[in-house]
mmCIF file of all heavy atoms in Angstrom:
data_model
loop_
_atom_site.group_PDB
_atom_site.id
_atom_site.type_symbol
_atom_site.label_atom_id
_atom_site.label_comp_id
_atom_site.label_asym_id
_atom_site.label_seq_id
_atom_site.Cartn_x
_atom_site.Cartn_y
_atom_site.Cartn_z
ATOM 1 N N LEU A 498 96.025 91.249 97.132
ATOM 2 C CA LEU A 498 97.329 91.852 96.862
ATOM 3 C C LEU A 498 97.135 93.034 95.923
ATOM 4 O O LEU A 498 96.684 92.866 94.788
ATOM 5 C CB LEU A 498 98.261 90.822 96.227
ATOM 6 C CG LEU A 498 99.683 91.290 95.953
ATOM 7 C CD1 LEU A 498 100.405 91.586 97.242
ATOM 8 C CD2 LEU A 498 100.439 90.239 95.178
ATOM 9 N N GLY A 499 97.455 94.233 96.401
ATOM 10 C CA GLY A 499 97.367 95.407 95.554
ATOM 11 C C GLY A 499 98.708 95.689 94.904
ATOM 12 O O GLY A 499 99.631 94.874 94.976
ATOM 13 N N ASP A 500 98.837 96.863 94.274
ATOM 14 C CA ASP A 500 100.083 97.189 93.597
ATOM 15 C C ASP A 500 101.232 97.388 94.566
ATOM 16 O O ASP A 500 102.396 97.231 94.210
ATOM 17 C CB ASP A 500 99.906 98.463 92.763
ATOM 18 C CG ASP A 500 99.212 98.137 91.449
ATOM 19 O OD1 ASP A 500 99.301 96.974 91.021
ATOM 20 O OD2 ASP A 500 98.566 99.031 90.881
ATOM 21 N N THR A 501 100.894 97.762 95.819
ATOM 22 C CA THR A 501 101.971 98.089 96.752
ATOM 23 C C THR A 501 102.119 97.065 97.868
ATOM 24 O O THR A 501 103.117 97.067 98.574
ATOM 25 C CB THR A 501 101.718 99.459 97.388
ATOM 26 O OG1 THR A 501 100.365 99.489 97.878
ATOM 27 C CG2 THR A 501 101.898 100.581 96.378
ATOM 28 N N GLY A 502 101.149 96.212 98.058
ATOM 29 C CA GLY A 502 101.277 95.223 99.127
ATOM 30 C C GLY A 502 99.906 94.652 99.458
ATOM 31 O O GLY A 502 98.913 94.936 98.794
ATOM 32 N N PHE A 503 99.885 93.841 100.499
ATOM 33 C CA PHE A 503 98.627 93.208 100.889
ATOM 34 C C PHE A 503 97.709 94.202 101.571
ATOM 35 O O PHE A 503 98.149 95.061 102.338
ATOM 36 C CB PHE A 503 98.890 92.051 101.847
ATOM 37 C CG PHE A 503 99.270 90.805 101.126
ATOM 38 C CD1 PHE A 503 100.582 90.368 101.089
ATOM 39 C CD2 PHE A 503 98.305 90.065 100.455
ATOM 40 C CE1 PHE A 503 100.936 89.222 100.416
ATOM 41 C CE2 PHE A 503 98.652 88.909 99.787
ATOM 42 C CZ PHE A 503 99.968 88.500 99.763
ATOM 43 N N LEU A 504 96.422 94.083 101.302
ATOM 44 C CA LEU A 504 95.437 94.901 101.998
ATOM 45 C C LEU A 504 94.250 93.990 102.279
ATOM 46 O O LEU A 504 93.517 93.619 101.375
ATOM 47 C CB LEU A 504 95.014 96.090 101.141
ATOM 48 C CG LEU A 504 94.171 97.119 101.885
ATOM 49 C CD1 LEU A 504 94.995 97.776 102.982
ATOM 50 C CD2 LEU A 504 93.647 98.173 100.925
ATOM 51 N N PHE A 505 94.108 93.570 103.567
ATOM 52 C CA PHE A 505 93.056 92.624 103.898
ATOM 53 C C PHE A 505 91.750 93.345 104.152
ATOM 54 O O PHE A 505 91.747 94.551 104.422
ATOM 55 C CB PHE A 505 93.477 91.784 105.096
ATOM 56 C CG PHE A 505 94.647 90.917 104.794
ATOM 57 C CD1 PHE A 505 95.901 91.189 105.332
ATOM 58 C CD2 PHE A 505 94.509 89.842 103.937
ATOM 59 C CE1 PHE A 505 96.986 90.397 105.025
ATOM 60 C CE2 PHE A 505 95.585 89.045 103.630
ATOM 61 C CZ PHE A 505 96.826 89.327 104.164
ATOM 62 N N PRO A 506 90.619 92.631 104.082
ATOM 63 C CA PRO A 506 89.313 93.292 104.211
ATOM 64 C C PRO A 506 89.176 94.105 105.490
ATOM 65 O O PRO A 506 88.588 95.169 105.481
ATOM 66 C CB PRO A 506 88.337 92.124 104.199
ATOM 67 C CG PRO A 506 89.030 91.048 103.486
ATOM 68 C CD PRO A 506 90.485 91.220 103.757
ATOM 69 N N GLY A 507 89.730 93.631 106.607
ATOM 70 C CA GLY A 507 89.572 94.351 107.864
ATOM 71 C C GLY A 507 90.261 95.700 107.887
ATOM 72 O O GLY A 507 90.068 96.476 108.816
ATOM 73 N N GLY A 508 91.066 95.974 106.891
ATOM 74 C CA GLY A 508 91.806 97.230 106.886
ATOM 75 C C GLY A 508 93.268 96.999 107.200
ATOM 76 O O GLY A 508 94.108 97.851 106.970
ATOM 77 N N ALA A 509 93.580 95.806 107.738
ATOM 78 C CA ALA A 509 94.969 95.477 108.011
ATOM 79 C C ALA A 509 95.703 95.248 106.701
ATOM 80 O O ALA A 509 95.084 95.039 105.655
ATOM 81 C CB ALA A 509 95.049 94.230 108.878
ATOM 82 N N GLY A 510 97.002 95.272 106.760
ATOM 83 C CA GLY A 510 97.768 95.042 105.543
ATOM 84 C C GLY A 510 99.205 95.417 105.757
ATOM 85 O O GLY A 510 99.568 95.962 106.792
ATOM 86 N N PHE A 511 100.063 95.079 104.802
ATOM 87 C CA PHE A 511 101.464 95.484 104.909
ATOM 88 C C PHE A 511 102.001 95.688 103.497
ATOM 89 O O PHE A 511 101.488 95.123 102.530
ATOM 90 C CB PHE A 511 102.295 94.460 105.680
ATOM 91 C CG PHE A 511 102.133 93.058 105.205
ATOM 92 C CD1 PHE A 511 102.950 92.549 104.200
ATOM 93 C CD2 PHE A 511 101.145 92.237 105.764
ATOM 94 C CE1 PHE A 511 102.792 91.254 103.773
ATOM 95 C CE2 PHE A 511 100.991 90.934 105.328
ATOM 96 C CZ PHE A 511 101.815 90.443 104.328
ATOM 97 N N ALA A 512 103.018 96.478 103.408
ATOM 98 C CA ALA A 512 103.581 96.810 102.102
ATOM 99 C C ALA A 512 104.614 95.764 101.693
ATOM 100 O O ALA A 512 105.214 95.104 102.540
ATOM 101 C CB ALA A 512 104.229 98.192 102.162
#
Side-chain angles (χ1 to χ4, degrees):
Chain A
L498 183 65
D500 280 336
T501 49
F503 278 104
L504 190 65
F505 295 108
F511 50 89

